[in-house]
Amino acid sequence: KDNLSWSEAAGDVHRVGELRETIRLSEEKDPELVYARAISAMNKAEKIEDLDKRKFVIDQHRSEANLARSCIPRFNLEGLWVGNYGNGAELVNITYSDAHTLVATKVTGDAYIPRGERSFSANLAPSDEADPIELSESAASKWGNKKLQRFKGKGSVALEGYKDEKNVEGQLVMFDDYFSFTWVPMKYTVFFSRPSAKLTIDLLRDVVSKEDEVDNMREHISRCFSKDAVIDRDVITGRFRSDSVNNGD
């Protein structure tokens, strides 16, 4: 685009035409740009008064958006991811509650945010993208990008036992093969990557084993209480004493 500006300033009409065509073709291959434009066009189409025309235009741009979306990493994060929350590896399951809202649910929890509760969420809409993170030359060569996308989110925090749970400001940052989420007030960041099959099985086995142990303890205690209740009832009705006398005979 800088070359285009220079060519326009120099009055080189032929060069301007070539550069504009090159830019157009390049933008058509950029899924991020195609998606953002399609979403913008869908929003504008909502103002069309003719219902049939409105539906036609929206459906047309929705198809463009869905095709571009399939090529954008942040919209294809569904499934299991693993991250170190500071007390060991934990699994989260990524889903989308709507077109742009990513939700991470704990699959293996901890003493603060248990299994089955939301760990964090993020708004991935192009219009809500935060300023990208500028990388140094060495970091840029490592990641293959000069900037990293980041999106506003909300992270769950709680006291031990999932008490006083609340949401705090958060940020999701996209890398090549993984992403990170930062709980901004705590300046705490967790990096997430795809778990291996072995790690997934090991983590799930640990959770199931612990839950089975707790369930067994609860069942045992429940049985103990049940036996105590029967004995108390028998004593009150005199059955226990009667049985003891009969057994003695």
Side-chain angles (χ1 to χ4, degrees), residues 7-38:
S7 298
E8 288 176 337
D12 189 341
V13 178
H14 179 70
R15 181 59 175 164
V16 167
E18 287 183 340
L19 290 172
R20 284 180 176 173
E21 180 63 14
T22 300
I23 292 172
R24 183 186 68 79
L25 293 174
S26 177
E27 290 179 344
E28 287 181 352
K29 297 178 181 179
D30 183 346
E32 289 279 1
L33 189 55
V34 171
Y35 183 78
R37 287 178 174 175

Short mmCIF file of all heavy atoms in Angstrom, two decimals, residues 7-38:
data_model
loop_
_atom_site.label_atom_id
_atom_site.label_comp_id
_atom_site.label_asym_id
_atom_site.label_seq_id
_atom_site.Cartn_x
_atom_site.Cartn_y
_atom_site.Cartn_z
N SER A 7 3.08 5.70 -5.95
CA SER A 7 2.73 5.72 -7.38
C SER A 7 1.64 6.75 -7.66
O SER A 7 1.66 7.43 -8.70
CB SER A 7 2.26 4.33 -7.82
OG SER A 7 3.28 3.38 -7.67
N GLU A 8 0.68 6.87 -6.75
CA GLU A 8 -0.39 7.87 -6.91
C GLU A 8 0.20 9.27 -6.84
O GLU A 8 -0.19 10.16 -7.63
CB GLU A 8 -1.45 7.68 -5.83
CG GLU A 8 -2.31 6.44 -6.03
CD GLU A 8 -3.29 6.22 -4.89
OE1 GLU A 8 -3.02 6.73 -3.78
OE2 GLU A 8 -4.32 5.55 -5.11
N ALA A 9 1.15 9.47 -5.94
CA ALA A 9 1.79 10.79 -5.81
C ALA A 9 2.61 11.13 -7.05
O ALA A 9 2.69 12.30 -7.46
CB ALA A 9 2.67 10.81 -4.56
N ALA A 10 3.19 10.08 -7.66
CA ALA A 10 4.01 10.30 -8.85
C ALA A 10 3.18 10.39 -10.12
O ALA A 10 3.70 10.73 -11.19
CB ALA A 10 5.04 9.17 -8.98
N GLY A 11 1.89 10.07 -10.01
CA GLY A 11 1.02 10.14 -11.18
C GLY A 11 1.23 9.00 -12.16
O GLY A 11 0.88 9.13 -13.35
N ASP A 12 1.77 7.89 -11.68
CA ASP A 12 2.02 6.72 -12.53
C ASP A 12 0.73 5.89 -12.60
O ASP A 12 0.52 4.96 -11.81
CB ASP A 12 3.17 5.89 -11.95
CG ASP A 12 3.62 4.78 -12.88
OD1 ASP A 12 2.85 4.42 -13.79
OD2 ASP A 12 4.74 4.26 -12.69
N VAL A 13 -0.13 6.20 -13.56
CA VAL A 13 -1.44 5.58 -13.66
C VAL A 13 -1.35 4.08 -13.89
O VAL A 13 -2.09 3.30 -13.28
CB VAL A 13 -2.25 6.23 -14.81
CG1 VAL A 13 -3.61 5.54 -14.94
CG2 VAL A 13 -2.43 7.72 -14.57
N HIS A 14 -0.45 3.65 -14.75
CA HIS A 14 -0.31 2.23 -15.05
C HIS A 14 0.11 1.45 -13.80
O HIS A 14 -0.46 0.39 -13.50
CB HIS A 14 0.72 2.03 -16.16
CG HIS A 14 0.94 0.59 -16.52
ND1 HIS A 14 -0.01 -0.18 -17.17
CD2 HIS A 14 2.01 -0.25 -16.27
CE1 HIS A 14 0.45 -1.41 -17.34
NE2 HIS A 14 1.67 -1.48 -16.79
N ARG A 15 1.09 1.98 -13.09
CA ARG A 15 1.57 1.31 -11.88
C ARG A 15 0.49 1.28 -10.80
O ARG A 15 0.33 0.29 -10.10
CB ARG A 15 2.81 2.06 -11.36
CG ARG A 15 3.44 1.47 -10.11
CD ARG A 15 3.88 0.06 -10.31
NE ARG A 15 4.60 -0.46 -9.13
CZ ARG A 15 4.82 -1.74 -8.90
NH1 ARG A 15 4.39 -2.65 -9.77
NH2 ARG A 15 5.49 -2.12 -7.83
N VAL A 16 -0.28 2.36 -10.71
CA VAL A 16 -1.37 2.43 -9.73
C VAL A 16 -2.39 1.33 -10.00
O VAL A 16 -2.86 0.64 -9.08
CB VAL A 16 -2.06 3.81 -9.76
CG1 VAL A 16 -3.39 3.77 -8.99
CG2 VAL A 16 -1.15 4.87 -9.18
N GLY A 17 -2.73 1.14 -11.27
CA GLY A 17 -3.69 0.10 -11.63
C GLY A 17 -3.19 -1.29 -11.28
O GLY A 17 -3.95 -2.13 -10.76
N GLU A 18 -1.93 -1.55 -11.54
CA GLU A 18 -1.35 -2.86 -11.23
C GLU A 18 -1.36 -3.13 -9.72
O GLU A 18 -1.71 -4.22 -9.28
CB GLU A 18 0.09 -2.92 -11.76
CG GLU A 18 0.20 -3.04 -13.27
CD GLU A 18 1.64 -3.16 -13.71
OE1 GLU A 18 2.53 -2.79 -12.89
OE2 GLU A 18 1.90 -3.64 -14.82
N LEU A 19 -0.97 -2.12 -8.96
CA LEU A 19 -0.90 -2.29 -7.51
C LEU A 19 -2.28 -2.49 -6.90
O LEU A 19 -2.46 -3.30 -5.98
CB LEU A 19 -0.21 -1.08 -6.87
CG LEU A 19 1.30 -0.96 -7.15
CD1 LEU A 19 1.84 0.37 -6.62
CD2 LEU A 19 2.05 -2.13 -6.49
N ARG A 20 -3.26 -1.74 -7.40
CA ARG A 20 -4.63 -1.88 -6.88
C ARG A 20 -5.16 -3.29 -7.14
O ARG A 20 -5.84 -3.89 -6.29
CB ARG A 20 -5.54 -0.84 -7.50
CG ARG A 20 -5.35 0.56 -6.91
CD ARG A 20 -6.26 1.56 -7.56
NE ARG A 20 -6.15 2.87 -6.93
CZ ARG A 20 -6.74 3.97 -7.38
NH1 ARG A 20 -7.48 3.92 -8.51
NH2 ARG A 20 -6.59 5.12 -6.74
N GLU A 21 -4.88 -3.83 -8.30
CA GLU A 21 -5.33 -5.19 -8.64
C GLU A 21 -4.62 -6.22 -7.75
O GLU A 21 -5.25 -7.18 -7.28
CB GLU A 21 -5.05 -5.48 -10.11
CG GLU A 21 -5.48 -6.86 -10.58
CD GLU A 21 -6.98 -7.09 -10.47
OE1 GLU A 21 -7.74 -6.12 -10.29
OE2 GLU A 21 -7.39 -8.27 -10.59
N THR A 22 -3.34 -6.02 -7.53
CA THR A 22 -2.58 -6.92 -6.67
C THR A 22 -3.13 -6.91 -5.25
O THR A 22 -3.28 -7.96 -4.62
CB THR A 22 -1.09 -6.52 -6.64
OG1 THR A 22 -0.55 -6.59 -7.97
CG2 THR A 22 -0.30 -7.45 -5.72
N ILE A 23 -3.43 -5.71 -4.75
CA ILE A 23 -3.98 -5.57 -3.39
C ILE A 23 -5.35 -6.23 -3.31
O ILE A 23 -5.67 -6.93 -2.34
CB ILE A 23 -4.07 -4.09 -2.99
CG1 ILE A 23 -2.67 -3.50 -2.82
CG2 ILE A 23 -4.88 -3.91 -1.71
CD1 ILE A 23 -2.64 -2.01 -2.61
N ARG A 24 -6.17 -6.05 -4.33
CA ARG A 24 -7.52 -6.63 -4.34
C ARG A 24 -7.44 -8.16 -4.29
O ARG A 24 -8.15 -8.80 -3.50
CB ARG A 24 -8.28 -6.19 -5.59
CG ARG A 24 -9.73 -6.69 -5.64
CD ARG A 24 -10.38 -6.33 -6.97
NE ARG A 24 -9.79 -7.08 -8.06
CZ ARG A 24 -10.10 -8.36 -8.34
NH1 ARG A 24 -10.99 -9.01 -7.59
NH2 ARG A 24 -9.55 -8.97 -9.37
N LEU A 25 -6.58 -8.73 -5.11
CA LEU A 25 -6.44 -10.18 -5.13
C LEU A 25 -5.90 -10.71 -3.80
O LEU A 25 -6.31 -11.77 -3.32
CB LEU A 25 -5.51 -10.61 -6.27
CG LEU A 25 -6.04 -10.35 -7.69
CD1 LEU A 25 -4.97 -10.68 -8.73
CD2 LEU A 25 -7.30 -11.17 -7.95
N SER A 26 -4.99 -9.96 -3.21
CA SER A 26 -4.42 -10.35 -1.93
C SER A 26 -5.47 -10.32 -0.83
O SER A 26 -5.56 -11.23 0.01
CB SER A 26 -3.25 -9.43 -1.56
OG SER A 26 -2.74 -9.75 -0.29
N GLU A 27 -6.30 -9.28 -0.82
CA GLU A 27 -7.35 -9.15 0.21
C GLU A 27 -8.41 -10.22 0.07
O GLU A 27 -8.99 -10.67 1.07
CB GLU A 27 -7.98 -7.76 0.12
CG GLU A 27 -7.03 -6.65 0.58
CD GLU A 27 -7.66 -5.27 0.46
OE1 GLU A 27 -8.70 -5.15 -0.25
OE2 GLU A 27 -7.14 -4.32 1.06
N GLU A 28 -8.67 -10.66 -1.16
CA GLU A 28 -9.66 -11.72 -1.37
C GLU A 28 -9.20 -13.05 -0.79
O GLU A 28 -10.02 -13.93 -0.50
CB GLU A 28 -9.94 -11.88 -2.87
CG GLU A 28 -10.77 -10.75 -3.47
CD GLU A 28 -11.05 -10.96 -4.94
OE1 GLU A 28 -10.45 -11.92 -5.51
OE2 GLU A 28 -11.83 -10.20 -5.53
N LYS A 29 -7.89 -13.19 -0.59
CA LYS A 29 -7.34 -14.42 -0.04
C LYS A 29 -7.10 -14.32 1.47
O LYS A 29 -6.65 -15.30 2.08
CB LYS A 29 -6.02 -14.76 -0.75
CG LYS A 29 -6.17 -15.04 -2.23
CD LYS A 29 -4.82 -15.33 -2.87
CE LYS A 29 -4.97 -15.59 -4.36
NZ LYS A 29 -3.64 -15.86 -5.01
N ASP A 30 -7.38 -13.17 2.05
CA ASP A 30 -7.18 -12.97 3.48
C ASP A 30 -8.48 -13.30 4.21
O ASP A 30 -9.43 -12.52 4.18
CB ASP A 30 -6.77 -11.52 3.76
CG ASP A 30 -6.47 -11.27 5.23
OD1 ASP A 30 -6.82 -12.13 6.07
OD2 ASP A 30 -5.91 -10.21 5.55
N PRO A 31 -8.58 -14.45 4.89
CA PRO A 31 -9.83 -14.85 5.53
C PRO A 31 -10.30 -13.87 6.61
O PRO A 31 -11.50 -13.66 6.78
CB PRO A 31 -9.52 -16.22 6.13
CG PRO A 31 -8.04 -16.27 6.24
CD PRO A 31 -7.53 -15.46 5.10
N GLU A 32 -9.35 -13.27 7.33
CA GLU A 32 -9.72 -12.30 8.36
C GLU A 32 -10.45 -11.10 7.75
O GLU A 32 -11.49 -10.66 8.25
CB GLU A 32 -8.48 -11.80 9.11
CG GLU A 32 -7.84 -12.83 10.01
CD GLU A 32 -8.56 -12.94 11.36
OE1 GLU A 32 -9.56 -12.22 11.56
OE2 GLU A 32 -8.12 -13.75 12.19
N LEU A 33 -9.91 -10.61 6.66
CA LEU A 33 -10.50 -9.44 5.99
C LEU A 33 -11.83 -9.81 5.35
O LEU A 33 -12.81 -9.05 5.44
CB LEU A 33 -9.53 -8.90 4.95
CG LEU A 33 -9.88 -7.55 4.31
CD1 LEU A 33 -10.09 -6.48 5.38
CD2 LEU A 33 -8.79 -7.11 3.35
N VAL A 34 -11.88 -10.96 4.70
CA VAL A 34 -13.12 -11.40 4.06
C VAL A 34 -14.22 -11.58 5.11
O VAL A 34 -15.37 -11.17 4.90
CB VAL A 34 -12.90 -12.73 3.29
CG1 VAL A 34 -14.23 -13.30 2.81
CG2 VAL A 34 -11.96 -12.50 2.11
N TYR A 35 -13.86 -12.17 6.24
CA TYR A 35 -14.84 -12.40 7.31
C TYR A 35 -15.35 -11.07 7.87
O TYR A 35 -16.57 -10.89 8.04
CB TYR A 35 -14.20 -13.22 8.42
CG TYR A 35 -15.16 -13.56 9.53
CD1 TYR A 35 -16.09 -14.59 9.38
CD2 TYR A 35 -15.15 -12.87 10.73
CE1 TYR A 35 -16.98 -14.91 10.40
CE2 TYR A 35 -16.03 -13.18 11.76
CZ TYR A 35 -16.94 -14.20 11.58
OH TYR A 35 -17.82 -14.49 12.59
N ALA A 36 -14.45 -10.16 8.17
CA ALA A 36 -14.84 -8.86 8.73
C ALA A 36 -15.77 -8.11 7.77
O ALA A 36 -16.77 -7.51 8.20
CB ALA A 36 -13.60 -8.04 9.04
N ARG A 37 -15.44 -8.15 6.49
CA ARG A 37 -16.28 -7.45 5.51
C ARG A 37 -17.65 -8.11 5.38
O ARG A 37 -18.67 -7.42 5.24
CB ARG A 37 -15.56 -7.42 4.15
CG ARG A 37 -14.38 -6.46 4.11
CD ARG A 37 -13.67 -6.51 2.77
NE ARG A 37 -12.63 -5.49 2.68
CZ ARG A 37 -11.79 -5.38 1.65
NH1 ARG A 37 -11.89 -6.21 0.62
NH2 ARG A 37 -10.88 -4.42 1.64
N ALA A 38 -17.67 -9.44 5.42
CA ALA A 38 -18.94 -10.16 5.31
C ALA A 38 -19.84 -9.85 6.51
O ALA A 38 -21.05 -9.64 6.36
CB ALA A 38 -18.69 -11.65 5.20
#
